[in-house]
Amino acid sequence: MTNVVRSEVNIKETWDLTHLFPSDIAFEEALNNAIHDATTIEQSYKGTIKNASQVIKVLQAYEQLLNKLDPIGNYSSLALSVDQTDEVAQMRASKVGQTYSKINAQLSFIKSECIELNETVLIKAKEQAPQYTIFINKLIRQKPYQLHPEAEKALAAFGTTFEAPYELYNTTKLVDLEFPNFDAEDKSYPLSYNLFEGDWEVENNTSIRRAAFDAFSKKLREYQHTTAKTYDTHLKIEKTEADLRGYESVFDFLLFKQDVDRNLYNRQIDLITTELAPHMQRYAKLLQKVHGLDQMTFADLKISLDPSYEPKITIEESRKYMKDGLSIMGEDYRRMLDLAFDERWIDFAQNKGKSTGAFCAAPYGAHPYVLISWTSRMNEVFVLAHELGHAGHFYLANAKQNIFNAEPSLYFIEAPSTMNEMLMANYLLANSSDARFKRWVISTIISRTYYHNFVTHLLEAAYQRKVYELIDEGGSVSASILNNIKRKVLEDFWGDVVEINEGAELTWMRQPHYYMGLYPYTYSAGLTIATQVSQRILHEGDVAVQDWLQVLNAGGTKSPVELAKMAGVDITTEKPLRDTITYIGLLIDQLERLTEEIEK
């Protein structure tokens, strides 16, 4: 285990940002050109948007500018994400943020003037330029919530300021937080965010794992008040804008952007927290039994059911798993996977200051980028498959759609990623008859795919809903309030099967998702769709694959309900979610049977 600085990592394990800009000089040149183009658009079109042809002309100019701005924003954020301690990257990202705010303020007139037009003019513009239909439809939907043009300009100018809580959260978490070594069994071990979440949290040795959890929690607690105040500021910004725009609640404001109603949101949280809990409690009991634990604690929930069986794999070996496991997606998809490795789309390195977890960014006009901190554990195959699911989605959608139409609703965004995890599991199960291997695969599906997306993120969503309910009532949050809410959510889900030990309540401090709107619940929403479609692919083969590829190509041209319907899933009913929860229960049944068989 290492915790090296960025300059010491193997360059082959890093991504190559020169595909966006060959040098910082080229980046600066592109940024200056974008600033110039924004001013030209403002001077040329402000106050002139009166008819359909002028709507189309300004949208064409705006589209060209967005095509230039997208790689600029990604270049600065990606460089910072691999090393939050890099002052040059910090300054660059800050400069880009300020520039974006200025440009957004300059060009806020585009939406304002278009929205002020009679709807018949906008409909005529759609007919003459169908490529802008999605963008114009969004403008028409926004009409009831649009503010005075000068108010919209002022809000846009404050863009960087409004994003400050998220930046402050990351600075606290990844720069200021310095973890000391911890002791266990008369030895000293290094500790960091990535080491804890990548290694110590899944460590097989109970005394080491629990000592790491205690040391990690102790350090988090020192920053709980700063982090809570940062989060409270973010919540107040969202609530203020929701009120200004005339939404009934902050929920309606945030769900409006996702193009789904409150019923879909609440159903996902309510059904899972009540009906999945008994299945996951059985899984926790099975872990306790197999590991011979006197008591099952929150610090033990991420351990492997059979850690002695889990192989270590290299980055190069992961490539073969990606190609073999996802080969059912077709030859073009396999070629994309080869490019991801050959052209260094993926940042595997572990280093100080690197963002935790994993993500995929998709600069328009370029290829996607994937961040992961590689631990050589076999379960990283599922994490990498997940992020490459995002990459494949964006790669296809960006190629088929313009920049206005490429990105789907946040509600749907996790379906392609979790789909890849399910495809990988299907492949591994189909290619082995060994009981221990089957148990390892199924337990990984539970502990990685479903625990992560249906439990970790869903419990985040249940917690987040309680927080927003408090904010909607005019309240504020503090560290003690957030701790109490989180602890109650965990206790309600795990019952008396798992001890929610001291430090578990601080889990809210670990997630950046709370600064991204109503994002956490969408993991389970996406996985519900992915589970059903992966079963279709398992039983129907290429017909279902082709349907799914059409969904990926569609990008954001359809609503989440329409995209799911294209793939053969009706998310307007409870059935897909109930079927998925039943499927999880059946997987745990298999784990119990396989464990009994192996132990005999």
Side-chain angles (χ1 to χ4, degrees), residues 143-176:
K143 269 180 175 286
Y145 307 107
Q146 188 74 0
L147 302 175
H148 186 279
E150 288 303 313
E152 291 290 351
K153 184 176 181 179
L155 283 176
F158 274 104
T160 304
T161 306
F162 293 157
E163 291 169 7
Y166 179 49
E167 293 174 6
L168 179 57
Y169 167 78
N170 274 326
T171 301
T172 303
K173 175 180 175 179
L174 301 171
V175 181
D176 284 348

Side-chain angles (χ1 to χ4, degrees), residues 261-525:
D261 61 37
R262 194 95 167 253
N263 289 333
L264 266 69
Y265 168 73
N266 284 326
R267 178 205 301 156
Q268 206 70 25
I269 298 172
D270 293 337
L271 273 181
I272 295 175
T273 50
T274 55
E275 299 192 15
L276 181 64
H279 295 309
M280 294 308 298
Q281 288 171 16
R282 277 198 297 138
Y283 176 68
K285 286 178 181 176
L286 183 61
L287 281 177
Q288 182 179 2
K289 176 189 170 188
V290 170
H291 283 265
L293 300 175
D294 56 338
Q295 192 171 25
M296 192 69 185
T297 75
F298 184 80
D300 304 319
L301 284 168
K302 295 286 185 74
I303 53 179
S304 172
L305 191 61
D306 191 353
S308 64
Y309 190 81
E310 183 175 355
K312 295 280 188 178
I313 68 163
T314 65
I315 290 170
E316 192 53 40
E317 286 169 338
S318 75
R319 176 181 185 146
K320 186 175 188 311
Y321 275 104
M322 293 305 112
K323 292 186 68 177
D324 291 347
L326 304 175
S327 62
I328 196 168
M329 291 292 287
E331 191 55 39
D332 288 344
Y333 203 92
R334 280 169 60 91
R335 275 197 291 270
M336 184 273 294
L337 295 172
D338 272 331
L339 289 175
F341 284 88
D342 292 337
E343 296 183 354
R344 288 173 48 210
W345 298 6
I346 309 167
D347 200 275
F348 293 97
Q350 281 205 47
N351 59 265
K352 184 180 177 181
K354 185 174 180 177
S355 293
T356 58
F359 68 74
C360 176
Y364 193 82
H367 61 71
Y369 283 89
V370 167
L371 179 142
I372 185 173
S373 294
W374 192 256
T375 64
S376 298
R377 293 177 185 270
M378 183 67 179
N379 68 4
E380 295 285 10
V381 164
F382 285 87
V383 182
L384 186 55
H386 178 106
E387 298 307 333
L388 287 172
H390 285 307
H393 185 195
F394 299 139
Y395 188 72
L396 293 171
N398 285 356
K400 296 288 185 181
Q401 308 296 339
N402 65 38
I403 197 165
F404 294 126
N405 297 355
E407 189 171 342
S409 159
L410 191 62
Y411 183 93
F412 194 84
I413 210 78
E414 294 299 336
S417 54
T418 51
M419 165 63 86
N420 273 18
E421 294 189 55
M422 299 308 299
L423 294 179
M424 183 62 68
N426 288 347
Y427 163 76
L428 292 173
L429 286 172
N431 284 275
S432 177
S433 57
D434 179 73
R436 280 191 75 188
F437 184 75
K438 280 185 177 293
R439 184 176 73 160
W440 178 83
V441 174
I442 295 170
S443 67
T444 302
I445 299 170
I446 295 296
S447 64
R448 159 59 222 172
T449 303
Y450 285 110
Y451 186 97
H452 189 66
N453 300 295
F454 252 67
V455 179
T456 299
H457 291 318
L458 200 281
L459 294 184
E460 287 176 23
Y463 153 87
Q464 188 184 43
R465 184 170 64 175
K466 291 180 182 295
V467 170
Y468 278 121
E469 286 170 351
L470 189 62
I471 295 299
D472 254 344
E473 292 167 0
S476 299
V477 297
S478 63
S480 60
I481 289 171
L482 295 174
N483 289 341
N484 289 336
I485 292 174
K486 188 64 182 180
R487 175 171 286 279
K488 181 71 165 57
V489 166
L490 293 173
E491 288 173 343
D492 287 348
F493 186 83
W494 292 110
D496 59 4
V497 172
V498 177
E499 180 198 349
I500 307 304
N501 49 310
E502 188 176 349
E505 74 281 1
L506 299 170
T507 309
W508 65 267
M509 294 179 65
R510 295 165 55 183
Q511 298 297 346
H513 298 132
Y514 304 133
Y515 297 84
M516 303 172 188
L518 297 176
Y519 186 17
Y521 91 102
T522 66
Y523 279 86
S524 63

Side-chain angles (χ1 to χ4, degrees), residues 563-598:
L563 288 171
K565 190 174 182 180
M566 285 174 67
V569 182
D570 183 3
I571 59 171
T572 63
T573 72
E574 291 183 352
K575 188 176 185 303
L577 181 53
R578 288 190 179 277
D579 286 350
T580 300
I581 293 171
T582 299
Y583 175 70
I584 297 170
L586 292 173
L587 288 175
I588 294 171
D589 288 345
Q590 288 186 64
L591 284 182
E592 290 172 335
R593 284 196 302 271
L594 285 166
T595 298
E596 190 175 334
E597 177 186 331
I598 291 164

Side-chain angles (χ1 to χ4, degrees), residues 37 159 192 221 235 302 330 443 531:
D37 290 352
S192 70
R221 195 176 300 282
L235 294 167
K302 295 286 185 74
S443 67
T531 300

